Amino acid sequence: MTTLKKTASMPGRASVAAALVLVAVGVSLALGGATRANEATLPQTASSLWRGDGVVHARFVDDEGKLHSEEWLDQQTGATRKVEYDYAPRVTVERVTVRNGTTVTTWTSLTPSKRFVYEAVDAGDQRLLYTSYLLRPSRMFDLRTARVEGAGLLAGLATWKVVRNSPSRDVAGVYTTTMEVDQKTFLPLRYVAEAGGEKASLTVTSERLARTAQTSQLFTVPDGSWTYRDKRIRLGDLTGAVPFTVYGLGASYRGLTAEAPNLQEQKVETAQGFPIEPELFLSYSTTGSGIPQIQLQEHAAGTPDAQFRLSKYRSQGTARTAVILGAERTVYLLDADQPAVYFAVVVNDTLVKGRAAMPAAETLAMLASLREQR
Amino acid sequence: MFKRLLVAIGAVAATLVLAPAASAHDRYWGTDCGPGDYCELYNGNTVESGDHNNVVDPINLLWYCCGSWDPNVRHMLENEMGYDEDCTSPQANYRLVGDPSSQWWEGRDQTASRASGGCPGSRWHARVFLGHTHDSPVDNWSVSDSHHEDWTHDIDTTWQEAEEYVRERLAVVFGRSTTANYTYLPRAEGQWPAGGGYYNGWPANIYGW
């Protein structure tokens, strides 16, 4: 375990004294049995603590001493590069994730030219949360999806123990993860996961590198195009950004809030021999839940891809009718007798499909409320 | 142990290797399934074992031909993907089950589960749902929900990437025949929680021979 090593000059006496006080406080908290964090000392914004003018290089090692992953963090821009090592028969696969601003690019060492690109519009986009183990604790804390549950001491460093607010489910009931972070930087020193009576951990060692032209290359993506692209678009900016007319329920519908639409494009073909066409996903959720109650999935209706999809609904589904934008249209429902139904309907030149967490009658009423979104 | 077809590495991203029989391209619900018929029926999602109203994962992998759990799919997951752990939570998938003499539609629990690591910690994971059996095991099929769990037990990789991870590895490293976007499953398409993202509903197929 090493501390972050600054490449600048040695710290002065005041800094050393302050550090000793911090360590002493940490020891006092640990030895005194105090497990509750002193909220007065918690940062308002954890992400401000790791800022600096260098590059952090971290290694995550598991309990067997195997290198789980490495990360680099540009302390000035917040850009990250994560390399995960998947050890498997014959070939260890490296999976690379580079995040720069709100754009994420991933690829593997098996097919490095096949890029998955995600373009968010908000820094708080949930997809961005999964791009870095280094920044996970501070991001979750700032989003208030994790809290500090206590303080401790790890290899001489004062730590906060960060846990998510809602433990995940697992076969044994509860899965908990404790992210132990350096109080000075809010960067992790250890991840500890527990489930079903078993425990596993990742130990994090870090070094600080100077920010140079060479280290800056770590956060750039090699030349090349994307194979898969997901692009968030703000509601209201759809015209011109989506190659077909989008239909939705506005910014809100019956207490549900629209999430930023997502346009997905792929440069691939299907086994049937036609390309997968651009698709627009538009969901409505209870504010802050992240769980869509209504999902709309839309394509240009006249393509072979859309027609093939519609054919599945036709052959498997139950046909009903709904008046949408002044015209009676056939709606195909799957699971029509269930509390949640799947639906598909052609509205003018757009195929609108999806799922609604409501019975068939309410779903049809919802579809009757569709209007053009721009 | 198994014959392997050579696949051009450069074509992995858009492999268009066709399934054995042209009429078998359509994998969707029909009513003419019986002994000897070439028919696969399954929902495009999984549900909680104890509450079938709760949808959990999309299906993003098909195993056909030769999609029996044991030995074919088991061999690929354990010996080629390196998934040798079986800690899992139970899920179910609605599909046609039974044998050559009789088939019926049922929301049945997973046949098996394999993962690259145990329950605490990050890992690749896939449940396997075996469909009805045929006179010849070559015609058997299974489906899976390939995904990656991170250290906070969230899905941190998109379903599309998780699909490609298995398909790429089996094709590039082990030379298996695979087909991207094999067929469309309506219930697989959609927005999935955490980092799972937006899935297009077109799972890949892995040829088990």
Side-chain angles (χ1 to χ4, degrees):
Chain A
M1 162 67 66
T2 59
T3 62
L4 282 175
K5 297 177 186 174
K6 289 193 173 182
T7 55
S9 59
M10 291 293 290
R13 286 184 182 178
S15 299
V16 171
L20 287 174
V21 168
L22 195 60
V23 169
V25 167
V27 171
S28 170
L29 282 172
L31 296 182
T35 56
R36 279 182 141 349
N38 181 348
E39 291 190 5
T41 65
L42 286 175
Q44 282 295 309
T45 305
S47 297
S48 63
L49 296 181
W50 50 256
R51 294 285 181 182
D53 56 6
V55 173
V56 174
H57 172 218
R59 292 167 55 89
F60 295 74
V61 177
D62 67 17
D63 295 321
E64 296 172 357
K66 202 177 285 186
L67 182 61
H68 170 274
S69 56
E70 291 182 83
E71 282 191 40
W72 290 262
L73 162 66
D74 184 325
Q75 290 178 280
Q76 200 169 92
T77 67
T80 56
R81 179 189 186 93
K82 176 175 66 169
V83 180
E84 296 167 273
Y85 300 96
D86 291 322
Y87 302 97
R90 288 198 194 171
V91 175
T92 294
V93 177
E94 295 178 16
R95 291 183 297 125
V96 185
T97 302
V98 173
R99 173 196 161 157
N100 227 317
T102 52
T103 299
V104 181
T105 307
T106 63
W107 66 90
T108 75
S109 54
L110 281 182
T111 52
S113 62
K114 186 195 295 184
R115 310 276 175 76
F116 293 79
V117 176
Y118 188 85
E119 299 175 15
V121 291
D122 293 310
D125 190 301
Q126 189 177 44
R127 182 76 183 94
L128 302 179
L129 192 64
Y130 302 104
T131 58
S132 167
Y133 277 115
L134 262 184
L135 298 186
R136 181 76 62 85
S138 58
R139 286 192 178 137
M140 291 183 71
F141 180 83
D142 290 345
L143 288 172
R144 298 299 182 257
T145 57
R147 66 186 187 280
V148 170
E149 198 168 68
L153 195 67
L154 193 59
L157 292 175
T159 66
W160 295 124
K161 295 183 179 180
V162 183
V163 298
R164 56 187 298 168
N165 288 338
S166 53
S168 181
R169 287 181 295 117
D170 184 70
V171 61
V174 176
Y175 185 115
T176 60
T177 303
T178 303
M179 300 172 278
E180 295 184 69
V181 302
D182 183 336
Q183 286 191 8
K184 289 178 66 177
T185 63
F186 225 93
L187 294 177
L189 301 174
R190 186 166 64 185
Y191 272 79
V192 180
E194 296 180 69
E198 292 185 34
K199 188 184 286 192
S201 64
L202 279 181
T203 300
V204 189
T205 59
S206 302
E207 60 176 348
R208 185 159 170 246
L209 309 174
R211 202 160 172 271
T212 64
Q214 191 174 14
T215 56
S216 294
Q217 288 298 310
L218 292 166
F219 310 105
T220 59
V221 175
D223 286 341
S225 182
W226 50 265
T227 304
Y228 299 89
R229 181 168 73 176
D230 279 307
K231 185 180 176 69
R232 289 282 208 183
I233 306 169
R234 295 191 192 281
L235 205 59
D237 292 340
L238 295 171
T239 304
V242 181
F244 51 84
T245 304
V246 177
Y247 295 94
L249 303 164
S252 65
Y253 177 79
R254 290 192 177 180
L256 303 175
T257 305
E259 296 187 17
N262 187 94
L263 179 68
Q264 186 173 88
E265 299 166 277
Q266 303 180 26
K267 297 175 183 174
V268 290
E269 289 192 346
T270 70
Q272 321 304 322
F274 47 78
I276 292 189
E277 298 290 338
E279 180 167 13
L280 193 286
F281 295 85
L282 173 56
S283 298
Y284 290 80
S285 314
T286 304
T287 304
S289 72
I291 302 173
Q293 301 299 305
I294 298 173
Q295 292 189 44
L296 302 174
Q297 307 141 7
E298 306 185 18
H299 297 264
T303 65
D305 179 14
Q307 290 300 309
F308 189 83
R309 293 175 198 248
L310 183 61
S311 72
K312 304 299 182 183
Y313 280 87
R314 278 203 189 103
S315 64
Q316 298 181 34
T318 305
R320 299 281 177 88
T321 59
V323 176
I324 304 172
L325 291 172
E328 187 174 87
R329 307 176 196 267
T330 304
V331 182
Y332 299 97
L333 301 177
L334 299 179
D335 305 333
D337 58 346
Q338 298 300 310
V341 301
Y342 296 84
F343 54 85
V345 58
V346 177
V347 180
N348 298 335
D349 295 327
T350 300
L351 172 60
V352 179
K353 314 178 301 306
R355 182 176 190 261
M358 55 188 71
E362 287 183 44
T363 298
L364 293 172
M366 177 272 293
L367 291 173
S369 302
L370 286 177
R371 54 190 184 278
E372 188 175 330
Q373 304 286 174
R374 295 180 183 275
Chain B
M1 180 184 293
F2 299 97
K3 293 181 182 177
R4 287 169 186 166
L5 302 178
L6 294 178
V7 177
I9 293 177
V12 166
T15 304
L16 292 174
V17 177
L18 299 180
S23 63
H25 284 180
D26 286 343
R27 299 277 182 262
Y28 60 93
W29 191 16
T31 57
D32 297 326
C33 298
D37 282 355
Y38 198 62
C39 175
E40 292 80 27
L41 305 178
Y42 36 83
N43 271 10
N45 56 18
T46 70
V47 294
E48 273 188 34
S49 179
D51 183 352
H52 288 188
N53 286 322
N54 282 343
V55 171
V56 191
D57 295 342
I59 296 299
N60 58 2
L61 282 180
L62 316 175
W63 307 91
Y64 179 79
C65 75
C66 321
S68 300
W69 160 241
D70 204 349
N72 301 54
V73 179
R74 181 174 192 159
H75 169 78
M76 286 186 277
L77 290 182
E78 289 183 355
N79 300 323
E80 296 179 1
M81 295 303 298
Y83 297 3
D84 53 6
E85 296 276 350
D86 63 1
C87 176
T88 184
S89 56
Q91 291 180 17
N93 168 260
Y94 276 89
R95 60 197 185 279
L96 198 68
V97 296
D99 58 33
S101 65
S102 172
Q103 300 97 42
W104 63 95
W105 190 252
E106 183 180 313
R108 182 174 287 188
D109 277 1
Q110 63 214 40
T111 306
S113 166
R114 287 296 183 271
S116 60
C119 270
S122 66
R123 64 178 191 166
W124 290 101
H125 182 203
R127 295 176 178 81
V128 181
F129 303 87
L130 176 68
H132 73 88
T133 58
H134 298 72
D135 288 321
S136 168
V138 168
D139 293 328
N140 288 348
W141 53 272
S142 301
V143 301
S144 284
D145 59 342
S146 169
H147 58 278
H148 188 270
E149 301 157 5
D150 75 354
W151 277 81
T152 59
H153 203 54
D154 282 333
I155 303 294
D156 69 339
T157 302
T158 66
W159 292 96
Q160 189 66 56
E161 289 173 88
E163 168 187 328
E164 287 298 294
Y165 178 75
V166 176
R167 193 177 79 84
E168 280 180 11
R169 188 173 175 80
L170 292 176
V172 175
V173 180
F174 292 92
R176 289 198 175 273
S177 175
T178 69
T179 305
N181 307 312
Y182 187 67
T183 192
Y184 170 68
L185 302 178
R187 295 175 183 82
E189 183 180 12
Q191 179 188 356
W192 296 88
Y198 304 89
Y199 186 57
N200 63 10
W202 286 84
N205 188 60
I206 313 292
Y207 195 75
W209 186 251

Coordinates of all heavy atoms in Angstrom, one line a residue, chain A residues 149-192:
Chain A
E149 N -20.5 5.8 6.0 CA -21.0 5.1 7.2 C -20.1 5.0 8.4 O -20.5 4.7 9.5 CB -21.3 3.6 6.8 CG -22.3 2.9 7.7 CD -22.8 1.6 7.1 OE1 -22.0 0.7 7.0 OE2 -24.0 1.6 6.8
G150 N -18.8 5.4 8.2 CA -17.9 5.4 9.3 C -16.5 5.9 8.8 O -16.3 6.1 7.6
A151 N -15.6 6.0 9.8 CA -14.3 6.3 9.5 C -13.4 5.2 9.9 O -13.7 4.3 10.7 CB -13.9 7.6 10.2
G152 N -12.1 5.2 9.4 CA -11.2 4.2 9.8 C -9.8 4.6 9.5 O -9.5 5.7 9.2
L153 N -9.0 3.5 9.5 CA -7.5 3.7 9.3 C -7.1 2.6 8.4 O -7.3 1.4 8.8 CB -6.8 3.8 10.6 CG -5.4 4.3 10.5 CD1 -5.4 5.8 10.2 CD2 -4.7 4.1 11.9
L154 N -6.4 2.9 7.3 CA -5.9 1.8 6.4 C -4.5 2.2 6.0 O -4.3 3.2 5.4 CB -6.8 1.7 5.2 CG -6.7 0.5 4.3 CD1 -6.9 -0.8 5.1 CD2 -7.7 0.6 3.2
A155 N -3.6 1.3 6.5 CA -2.2 1.5 6.2 C -1.7 2.9 6.5 O -1.0 3.6 5.8 CB -1.9 1.2 4.7
G156 N -2.2 3.4 7.7 CA -1.8 4.7 8.1 C -2.5 5.9 7.6 O -2.2 7.0 8.0
L157 N -3.5 5.6 6.7 CA -4.2 6.7 6.1 C -5.6 6.7 6.7 O -6.3 5.7 6.9 CB -4.3 6.5 4.6 CG -3.0 6.7 3.8 CD1 -3.3 6.4 2.4 CD2 -2.5 8.1 4.0
A158 N -6.1 7.9 7.1 CA -7.5 8.1 7.6 C -8.4 7.9 6.4 O -8.2 8.4 5.3 CB -7.7 9.5 8.1
T159 N -9.5 7.1 6.6 CA -10.4 6.7 5.6 C -11.8 7.0 6.0 O -12.2 7.1 7.1 CB -10.3 5.2 5.2 OG1 -10.8 4.4 6.4 CG2 -8.9 4.8 4.9
W160 N -12.7 7.1 4.9 CA -14.1 7.1 5.1 C -14.6 5.8 4.5 O -14.0 5.3 3.5 CB -14.8 8.2 4.3 CG -14.5 9.6 4.7 CD1 -14.0 10.6 3.9 CD2 -14.7 10.2 5.9 NE1 -13.9 11.8 4.6 CE2 -14.3 11.6 5.9 CE3 -15.2 9.8 7.2 CZ2 -14.4 12.5 6.9 CZ3 -15.3 10.6 8.2 CH2 -14.9 12.0 8.1
K161 N -15.6 5.2 5.1 CA -16.2 4.0 4.6 C -17.5 4.4 3.9 O -18.4 4.8 4.5 CB -16.4 3.0 5.7 CG -15.1 2.5 6.3 CD -15.4 1.4 7.4 CE -14.0 1.0 8.0 NZ -14.2 0.0 9.0
V162 N -17.5 4.2 2.6 CA -18.6 4.6 1.8 C -19.4 3.4 1.3 O -18.9 2.4 0.8 CB -18.1 5.4 0.5 CG1 -19.3 5.9 -0.3 CG2 -17.2 6.5 0.9
V163 N -20.7 3.5 1.5 CA -21.6 2.4 1.1 C -22.8 3.0 0.3 O -23.2 4.1 0.5 CB -22.2 1.6 2.4 CG1 -21.0 1.0 3.1 CG2 -23.0 2.5 3.2
R164 N -23.3 2.2 -0.6 CA -24.5 2.7 -1.3 C -25.7 2.7 -0.4 O -25.8 2.0 0.5 CB -24.7 1.8 -2.6 CG -24.9 0.3 -2.2 CD -25.0 -0.5 -3.5 NE -26.1 -0.1 -4.3 CZ -26.3 -0.5 -5.6 NH1 -25.4 -1.3 -6.2 NH2 -27.3 -0.2 -6.3
N165 N -26.6 3.6 -0.8 CA -27.8 3.8 0.1 C -28.7 2.6 0.1 O -29.3 2.3 1.1 CB -28.5 5.0 -0.3 CG -27.8 6.3 0.1 OD1 -26.9 6.3 1.0 ND2 -28.0 7.4 -0.6
S166 N -28.8 1.9 -1.1 CA -29.7 0.8 -1.2 C -28.9 -0.4 -1.6 O -28.5 -0.5 -2.7 CB -30.8 1.1 -2.2 OG -30.2 1.4 -3.5
P167 N -28.7 -1.3 -0.7 CA -27.9 -2.5 -1.0 C -28.6 -3.3 -2.1 O -29.8 -3.3 -2.2 CB -27.9 -3.4 0.3 CG -28.3 -2.4 1.4 CD -29.1 -1.3 0.7
S168 N -27.7 -4.0 -2.9 CA -28.3 -4.7 -4.0 C -28.7 -6.1 -3.5 O -28.3 -6.6 -2.5 CB -27.1 -4.9 -5.1 OG -27.6 -5.6 -6.2
R169 N -29.6 -6.7 -4.3 CA -30.1 -8.0 -4.0 C -29.2 -9.1 -4.5 O -28.5 -8.9 -5.5 CB -31.5 -8.3 -4.6 CG -32.6 -7.5 -4.0 CD -33.9 -7.8 -4.7 NE -33.9 -7.4 -6.1 CZ -34.0 -8.1 -7.1 NH1 -34.1 -9.4 -7.0 NH2 -34.0 -7.6 -8.3
D170 N -29.2 -10.2 -3.9 CA -28.3 -11.3 -4.3 C -29.0 -12.6 -3.9 O -30.0 -12.6 -3.2 CB -27.0 -11.2 -3.6 CG -26.0 -12.2 -4.0 OD1 -25.5 -12.2 -5.2 OD2 -25.7 -13.1 -3.2
V171 N -28.5 -13.7 -4.3 CA -29.0 -15.0 -4.0 C -29.2 -15.2 -2.5 O -30.1 -15.8 -2.0 CB -28.2 -16.1 -4.6 CG1 -26.8 -16.1 -4.0 CG2 -28.8 -17.5 -4.3
A172 N -28.3 -14.6 -1.7 CA -28.3 -14.7 -0.2 C -29.1 -13.6 0.4 O -29.2 -13.6 1.6 CB -26.9 -14.8 0.3
G173 N -29.7 -12.8 -0.4 CA -30.5 -11.7 0.2 C -29.9 -10.3 0.0 O -30.5 -9.5 -0.6
V174 N -28.8 -10.1 0.6 CA -28.2 -8.8 0.5 C -26.8 -8.8 0.1 O -26.0 -9.7 0.5 CB -28.3 -8.1 1.9 CG1 -27.6 -6.7 1.9 CG2 -29.7 -7.9 2.3
Y175 N -26.4 -7.9 -0.8 CA -25.0 -7.8 -1.3 C -24.6 -6.4 -0.9 O -25.2 -5.4 -1.3 CB -25.1 -7.9 -2.8 CG -23.7 -8.0 -3.5 CD1 -23.3 -9.1 -4.2 CD2 -22.9 -6.8 -3.6 CE1 -22.1 -9.1 -4.9 CE2 -21.7 -6.9 -4.2 CZ -21.3 -8.0 -4.9 OH -20.1 -8.0 -5.6
T176 N -23.5 -6.3 -0.1 CA -23.0 -5.0 0.3 C -21.6 -4.8 -0.2 O -20.8 -5.7 -0.2 CB -23.1 -4.9 1.9 OG1 -22.2 -5.9 2.4 CG2 -24.5 -5.1 2.4
T177 N -21.3 -3.6 -0.5 CA -20.0 -3.2 -0.9 C -19.6 -2.0 -0.1 O -20.3 -1.0 0.0 CB -19.9 -2.8 -2.4 OG1 -20.4 -3.9 -3.2 CG2 -18.5 -2.5 -2.8
T178 N -18.4 -2.1 0.5 CA -17.8 -0.9 1.2 C -16.6 -0.4 0.4 O -15.7 -1.2 0.1 CB -17.4 -1.3 2.6 OG1 -18.5 -1.9 3.4 CG2 -16.8 -0.1 3.4
M179 N -16.7 0.9 0.1 CA -15.6 1.5 -0.6 C -14.8 2.4 0.4 O -15.4 3.4 0.9 CB -16.1 2.4 -1.7 CG -16.9 1.6 -2.7 SD -17.8 2.6 -4.0 CE -19.3 3.1 -3.1
E180 N -13.6 1.9 0.8 CA -12.9 2.7 1.8 C -12.0 3.7 1.0 O -11.2 3.3 0.2 CB -12.0 1.7 2.6 CG -12.8 0.7 3.4 CD -11.9 -0.1 4.3 OE1 -11.3 0.4 5.2 OE2 -11.9 -1.4 4.0
V181 N -12.2 5.0 1.3 CA -11.5 6.0 0.6 C -10.6 6.8 1.4 O -10.9 6.9 2.7 CB -12.6 6.9 -0.1 CG1 -13.5 6.1 -1.0 CG2 -13.4 7.7 0.9
D182 N -9.6 7.3 0.9 CA -8.7 8.2 1.5 C -9.4 9.5 1.9 O -10.0 10.1 1.0 CB -7.5 8.5 0.6 CG -6.4 9.4 1.2 OD1 -6.7 10.2 2.1 OD2 -5.3 9.4 0.7
Q183 N -9.4 9.9 3.1 CA -10.2 11.1 3.5 C -9.7 12.4 2.7 O -10.5 13.3 2.5 CB -10.1 11.3 5.0 CG -11.0 10.4 5.8 CD -11.1 10.8 7.2 OE1 -10.7 11.8 7.7 NE2 -11.7 9.9 8.0
K184 N -8.4 12.4 2.4 CA -7.9 13.6 1.7 C -8.3 13.7 0.3 O -8.5 14.8 -0.2 CB -6.4 13.6 1.8 CG -5.8 13.9 3.2 CD -4.3 13.8 3.2 CE -3.7 14.9 2.4 NZ -2.2 14.9 2.5
T185 N -8.5 12.6 -0.4 CA -8.8 12.7 -1.8 C -10.1 12.1 -2.2 O -10.6 12.3 -3.3 CB -7.7 11.9 -2.6 OG1 -7.7 10.5 -2.2 CG2 -6.3 12.5 -2.3
F186 N -10.7 11.3 -1.4 CA -11.9 10.5 -1.6 C -11.7 9.5 -2.7 O -12.6 9.1 -3.4 CB -13.1 11.4 -2.0 CG -14.4 11.0 -1.3 CD1 -14.7 11.6 -0.1 CD2 -15.2 10.1 -1.8 CE1 -15.9 11.2 0.6 CE2 -16.4 9.7 -1.1 CZ -16.7 10.3 0.1
L187 N -10.4 9.1 -3.0 CA -10.1 8.1 -3.9 C -10.0 6.8 -3.2 O -9.6 6.7 -2.0 CB -8.8 8.4 -4.7 CG -8.8 9.6 -5.6 CD1 -7.5 9.8 -6.2 CD2 -9.9 9.4 -6.7
P188 N -10.5 5.7 -3.7 CA -10.5 4.4 -3.0 C -9.2 3.8 -2.7 O -8.2 3.9 -3.5 CB -11.3 3.5 -3.9 CG -11.1 4.0 -5.3 CD -11.0 5.5 -5.1
L189 N -9.1 3.2 -1.5 CA -7.9 2.4 -1.1 C -8.3 0.9 -1.1 O -7.4 0.1 -1.2 CB -7.5 2.9 0.3 CG -7.1 4.3 0.4 CD1 -6.8 4.7 1.9 CD2 -5.9 4.7 -0.4
R190 N -9.6 0.7 -1.0 CA -10.0 -0.7 -0.9 C -11.5 -0.8 -1.2 O -12.3 0.0 -0.8 CB -9.7 -1.4 0.4 CG -10.0 -2.9 0.5 CD -9.4 -3.5 1.7 NE -9.9 -3.1 2.9 CZ -9.4 -3.4 4.1 NH1 -8.4 -4.2 4.2 NH2 -10.0 -3.0 5.2
Y191 N -11.9 -1.8 -2.0 CA -13.3 -2.2 -2.2 C -13.5 -3.6 -1.5 O -12.7 -4.5 -1.6 CB -13.6 -2.5 -3.7 CG -14.0 -1.3 -4.5 CD1 -13.0 -0.3 -4.9 CD2 -15.3 -1.1 -4.8 CE1 -13.4 0.8 -5.7 CE2 -15.7 0.0 -5.5 CZ -14.8 0.9 -6.0 OH -15.2 2.0 -6.7
V192 N -14.5 -3.7 -0.7 CA -14.8 -4.9 0.0 C -16.3 -5.3 -0.3 O -17.2 -4.5 0.0 CB -14.6 -4.8 1.5 CG1 -15.0 -6.2 2.2 CG2 -13.2 -4.4 1.9

